[in-house]
């Protein structure tokens, strides 16, 4: 059973890691703030559960907090980096716009969108 203190610490650590991770990481911020905070809280809670399964007592604040931070930081960092890489490049948006201008993306002269077979 997860104690209320570990739930509260997971919430505090998750929100803190989510907000700080969002502010500290360089580059485009494609991931919304709510997503980084939610992932931080979820990963922090997973760290708390994992620490409890390993045998850390629920009253031990330091090992549980280290596990929470240890889970939350990599998850938030990976989420922000992955969301930044999933954004379409300017050229991809321009290609989509050109296809829509030619006729809504429908192929001309009986061809297919993928090109000749």
């Amino acid at each position: 059973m997860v104690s209320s203190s570990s739930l509260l610490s997971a919430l505090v650590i998750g929100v803190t890691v989510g907000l700080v991770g969002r502010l500290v990481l360089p580059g485009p911020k494609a991931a919304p703030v709510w997503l980084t905070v939610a992932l931080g809280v979820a990963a922090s809670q997973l760290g708390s559960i994992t620490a409890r399964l390993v045998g850390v007592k629920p009253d031990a604040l330091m090992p549980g907090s280290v596990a929470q931070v240890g889970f939350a930081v990599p998850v938030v960092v990976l989420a922000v980096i992955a969301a930044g890489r999933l954004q379409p490049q300017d050229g991809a948006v321009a290609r989509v716009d050109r296809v829509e201008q030619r006729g809504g993306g429908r192929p001309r002269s009986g061809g297919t969108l993928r090109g000749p077979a």
Side-chain angles (χ1 to χ4, degrees), residues 1-2 31-32 35 53 55 61 63 68 75 78 81 105-106 109 113 115:
M1 185 82 164
V2 179
L35 180 64
L53 289 174
L61 184 64
Q68 290 171 347
V75 168
L78 289 175
I81 290 172
R106 286 177 271 144
S109 69
L113 284 176

Side-chain angles (χ1 to χ4, degrees), residues 16-115:
T16 304
V17 168
L19 291 175
V20 170
R22 170 94 174 147
L23 294 173
V24 170
L25 289 174
K29 303 295 191 258
V33 174
W34 66 266
L35 180 64
T36 59
V37 170
L39 286 173
V41 170
S44 180
Q45 183 61 38
L46 184 64
S48 179
I49 292 169
T50 304
R52 179 79 171 126
L53 289 174
V54 170
V56 175
K57 294 181 181 182
D59 299 337
L61 184 64
M62 192 61 179
S65 298
V66 169
Q68 290 171 347
V69 172
F71 272 72
V73 168
V75 168
V76 169
V77 168
L78 289 175
V80 171
I81 290 172
R85 290 187 180 180
L86 292 177
Q87 291 298 310
Q89 302 299 324
D90 291 336
V93 173
R95 284 193 301 270
V96 169
D97 289 341
R98 283 196 303 268
V99 168
E100 289 175 354
Q101 289 173 357
R102 284 195 323 217
R106 286 177 271 144
R108 292 184 178 183
S109 69
T112 63
L113 284 176
R114 293 189 178 142

